[in-house]
């Protein structure tokens, strides 16, 4: 085991020896007594002028008796141990998993590691094919409705900043981080307080996880869209899907639905099949871009150019007229990308590479909405999203995005020219009045909210800041109801999982939910013969 000590403060640019010396001072021992030291957590405290890195350390001493004494005083390191699974006895063919985002991948990996040989189907392409489809959209404005920023191996997270922060306290999160690190992610994700992988490292890890699933007897089929569930006597008996335009079927008593938040046709099919769906709150708004240097200086002060600090992050929120207004999916040194999945509709998101060294930093600025805002019915949130995605599309006539400066958005007029902040969105942008693609109460909240954020982050509300519309895919507009055993309400053997089912909000929580659903499957079903 090891001693765990926190509150180790050192300035940017510190060396390993500096950290070791600070640990020895904390323990009040000579640093020569330290045998091994490992960073458990690293965060950045920039609340004051003298910015500091704050460490929590795992420390082993040469004198084991003294180490046990310190473990009692400071705390002992606790390592993740997988929960004990008592395998079920119910017979089934191999489990089916729908969707190869973080949730589906970790569900499939967990089942494969335990001998269940899962079949994983994904409506989009493998990573290499998906990269070509996204490049075609960015360069030529041609959308593939099944292979894009939302659909394909890795899910929406594969074309994002790759944030691995989460508010959940589940110990399985440690397993997710370790798996990602073993599959090619930077090792620092194991200890950074706000870890990120960048889009290129997410894709690398996704490919490695899929390779591991296949090596353990699992199978992954791409361009395979779920089309129907077979239900017999209130239980799943199989499913149908379309692979490369050809109908396929599979017999199984266990289906994990890890469909992501944008599989609208799948939601419609599920409702028709009797799966219980309810509308879920989410948020809509715009993307805002600033010069990365402006955000860095606002957050870091005089130290903003220090090479050890990297691109600065922010997360701010407030309440406007009873609605939550907040920044979402902040991408330091990133770019705004098209996250549309349907013809005739336009939606945007953010993405950044590991280095986070692009000229602009961007974030969604979004307003909370709920069932009272939607058309009636379980799928009302989807229709709400579509209305404003189509409005944005109509402003440009294609997959160019409507853009405006914040100053002109306030004045409700079309921007004539940009200042030194240029839109990063590709394939193209069209200057437009963004008030025309949002309801008035959303536009009004964004205007007031950005002004409020300007009082918290210097320069956030400058008139030259660039806005791009519209951001509608912050989370699922649907919740697929499930019971405590993770099975769908009313249909045994169906396991709604992850962000698309309304039980997660990001890479980490989705992956953890996938593991939990896989464990639930194993508790009910025996390994397939």
């Amino acid at each position: 085991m090891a001693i765990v000590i926190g509150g180790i403060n050192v300035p940017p640019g510190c060396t390993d020896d500096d950290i070791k010396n600070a640990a020895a001072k904390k323990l009040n021992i000579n640093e020569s007594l330290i045998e091994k030291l490992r960073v458990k957590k690293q965060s950045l405290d920039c609340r004051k002028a003298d910015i500091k890195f704050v460490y929590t350390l795992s420390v082993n001493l040469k004198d084991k008796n003294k180490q046990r004494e310190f473990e009692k005083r400071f705390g002992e390191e606790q390592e993740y141990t997988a929960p004990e699974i008592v395998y079920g006895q119910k017979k089934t063919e191999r489990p089916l998993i729908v969707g190869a985002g973080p949730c589906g991948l970790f569900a499939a990996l967990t089942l494969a590691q335990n001998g269940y040989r899962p079949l994983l189907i994904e409506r989009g392409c493998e990573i290499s094919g998906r990269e070509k489809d996204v490049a075609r959209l960015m360069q030529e404005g041609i959308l593939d409705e099944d292979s894009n920023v939302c659909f394909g191996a890795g899910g929406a997270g594969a074309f994002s900043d790759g944030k691995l922060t989460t508010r959940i306290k589940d110990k399985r999160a440690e397993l997710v981080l370790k798996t990602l690190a073993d599959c090619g992610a930077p090792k620092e994700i194991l200890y950074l307080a706000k870890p990120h992988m960048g889009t290129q490292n997410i894709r690398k890890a996704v490919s490695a996880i899929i390779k591991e699933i296949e090596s353990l007897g699992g199978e992954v089929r791409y361009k395979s869209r779920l089309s129907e569930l077979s239900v017999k006597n209130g239980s799943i008996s199989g499913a149908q899907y379309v692979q490369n335009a050809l109908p396929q079927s599979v017999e199984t008593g266990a289906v994990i639905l890890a469909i992501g938040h944008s599989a609208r046709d799948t939601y419609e099919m599920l409702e028709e099949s009797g799966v219980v769906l309810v509308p879920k709150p989410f948020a809509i708004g715009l993307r805002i871009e600033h010069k990365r240097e402006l955000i860095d200086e606002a957050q870091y002060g005089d130290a903003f150019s220090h090479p050890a600090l990297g691109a600065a992050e922010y997360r701010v929120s407030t309440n406007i007229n009873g609605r939550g207004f907040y920044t979402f999916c902040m991408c330091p040194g990133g770019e705004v990308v098209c996250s549309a999945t349907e013809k005739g509709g336009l939606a945007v998101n953010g993405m950044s590479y590991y280095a986070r060294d692009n000229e602009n930093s961007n974030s969604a600025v979004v307003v909370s909405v709920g069932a009272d805002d939607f058309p009636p019915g379980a799928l009302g949130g989807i229709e709400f999203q579509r209305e404003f995605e189509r409005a944005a599309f109509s402003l440009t006539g294609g997959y160019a995005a409507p853009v405006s400066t914040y100053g002109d958005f306030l004045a409700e007029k079309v921007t004539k020219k940009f200042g030194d902040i240029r839109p990063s969105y590709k394939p193209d942008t069209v200057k437009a009045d963004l008030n025309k693609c949002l309801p008035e109460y959303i536009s009004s909240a964004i205007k007031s909210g950005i002004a409020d954020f300007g009082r918290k982050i210097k320069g956030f509300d400058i008139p030259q800041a660039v806005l791009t519309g519209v951001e509608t895919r912050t989370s699922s507009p649907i919740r697929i109801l499930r019971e405590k055993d993770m099975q769908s309400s009313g249909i045994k053997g169906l396991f709604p999982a992850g962000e698309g089912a309304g039980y997660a909000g990001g890479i980490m929580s989705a992956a953890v939910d996938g593991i939990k659903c896989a464990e639930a499957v194993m508790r009910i079903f025996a390994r397939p013969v």
Side-chain angles (χ1 to χ4, degrees), residues 221 223-225 227-228 239-250:
R221 297 179 185 174
K223 299 182 180 179
S224 299
R225 178 180 53 81
S227 57
E228 187 178 343
Q240 289 72 52
Y241 61 96
V242 179
Q243 183 178 30
N244 292 317
L246 297 175
Q248 306 284 344
S249 64
V250 57

Side-chain angles (χ1 to χ4, degrees), residues 32 53-54 99 102 125 139 145 177 195 216 311 355 454:
S32 64
F53 283 108
V54 182
C125 291
Q139 294 164 11
E145 292 182 272
L177 290 174
L216 294 169

Side-chain angles (χ1 to χ4, degrees), residues 281-343:
F282 57 100
I284 71 167
L286 303 169
R287 278 265 150 188
I288 189 167
E289 293 190 86
H290 302 88
K291 286 285 190 183
R292 173 167 54 89
E293 188 174 279
L294 181 148
I295 297 299
D296 291 352
E297 187 169 5
Q299 295 296 82
Y300 296 149
D302 292 341
F304 79 94
S305 60
H306 196 294
L309 296 178
E313 299 181 58
Y314 59 77
R315 180 173 183 162
V316 280
S317 62
T318 189
N319 189 285
I320 305 292
N321 298 324
R323 293 179 184 270
F325 178 71
Y326 56 95
T327 59
F328 172 78
C329 188
M330 195 263 160
C331 296
E335 59 192 270
V336 179
V337 297
C338 179
S339 59
T341 57
E342 294 179 335
K343 304 277 187 200

Side-chain angles (χ1 to χ4, degrees), residues 328-388:
F328 172 78
C329 188
M330 195 263 160
C331 296
E335 59 192 270
V336 179
V337 297
C338 179
S339 59
T341 57
E342 294 179 335
K343 304 277 187 200
L346 176 66
V348 298
N349 201 347
M351 181 182 84
S352 56
Y353 289 88
Y354 177 69
R356 289 176 164 179
D357 57 359
N358 281 13
E359 187 174 355
N360 290 354
S361 288
N362 75 80
S363 176
V365 282
V366 290
V367 182
S368 59
V369 292
D372 291 344
D373 301 301
F374 308 156
L379 306 181
I382 292 175
E383 290 308 311
F384 182 84
Q385 290 174 325
R386 279 182 172 143
E387 178 183 354
F388 304 110

Side-chain angles (χ1 to χ4, degrees), residues 290-291 293-299 452-462:
H290 302 88
K291 286 285 190 183
E293 188 174 279
L294 181 148
I295 297 299
D296 291 352
E297 187 169 5
Q299 295 296 82
D452 180 81
F453 291 169
R455 290 186 283 272
K456 299 172 181 177
I457 301 175
K458 185 179 179 181
F460 195 91
D461 59 343
I462 59 172

Side-chain angles (χ1 to χ4, degrees), residues 144-225:
D144 185 320
E145 292 182 272
D146 284 323
S147 183
N148 45 59
V149 164
C150 290
F151 298 148
F159 289 85
S160 71
D161 180 59
K163 283 183 178 59
L164 302 177
T165 50
T166 181
R167 295 179 183 178
I168 64 172
K169 303 299 182 183
D170 197 301
K171 295 291 287 183
R172 295 175 185 84
E174 294 179 27
L175 175 62
V176 173
L177 290 174
K178 185 179 184 304
T179 301
L180 292 171
D182 290 343
C183 289
K187 301 300 181 186
E188 66 198 35
I189 68 170
L190 296 172
Y191 61 80
L192 289 180
K194 295 181 179 180
H196 81 284
M197 293 175 65
T199 180
Q200 77 274 39
N201 288 319
I202 281 279
R203 299 176 209 173
K204 181 180 178 181
V206 164
S207 296
I209 291 171
I210 289 171
K211 186 176 179 180
E212 179 68 7
I213 291 167
E214 293 173 331
S215 75
L216 294 169
E219 184 179 355
V220 183
R221 297 179 185 174
Y222 301 103
K223 299 182 180 179
S224 299
R225 178 180 53 81

